[in-house]
Amino acid sequence: MNTEITLADAEFVQRFSSTRRGARLARRLAVHQLDAWGVPYGSELSDDVALIVAELAANAVVHGYVPGRDFELRLKALGADGLRIEVSDARGERWPALCAKAIDAEAGHGLRMVEALAAKWGVAERVVGKTVWAEIAIGNRRDAFVRPGG
């Protein structure tokens, strides 16, 4: 099915506990929400969003953790252009950066994966904490959004 995004104002926002379980739940609910919007589980777009959410949520839990504070996931359809993924945490002084580690290193490659999958990504300040965001272009994908029930 070759369709455009028809949910221009579609948005999903949820807070999660800053735990591994919270990060896993964020990834699972993200693909569930995409499915509800018409992007099937296991599609290229769903898989890419799952990987980006998993990485950003894991980073929020590991590097953005502040005791007693949750992290937030936001998915927003950008019309026919794509999808924006935002993960916000309470740790504003620790911004992510691409690591210059060796290719055989066991860690530090997550943001490189985000960079490879996203059209663009970045970090924005918040009153408390920061938001790490990534935008995925839909353009020529096989599995863009479809109208619910359509």
Side-chain angles (χ1 to χ4, degrees), residues 59-122:
N59 283 351
V61 167
V62 172
H63 305 293
Y65 176 74
V66 172
R69 291 292 182 88
D70 296 336
F71 74 91
E72 180 182 275
L73 169 66
R74 179 181 306 266
L75 303 176
K76 182 166 178 51
L78 302 173
D81 295 331
L83 179 75
R84 184 175 175 103
I85 301 160
E86 298 179 353
V87 175
S88 302
D89 64 54
R91 203 80 192 264
E93 75 280 6
R94 293 187 70 182
W95 283 38
L98 292 172
C99 293
K101 293 190 175 194
I103 194 81
D104 58 348
E106 292 184 24
H109 299 291
L111 283 177
R112 295 235 179 255
M113 182 178 59
V114 170
E115 183 180 53
L117 295 173
K120 56 186 174 179
W121 73 278

Side-chain angles (χ1 to χ4, degrees), residues 39-53:
V39 178
Y41 293 111
S43 64
E44 179 185 8
L45 179 57
S46 179
D47 289 349
D48 288 354
V49 169
L51 287 170
I52 291 171
V53 169

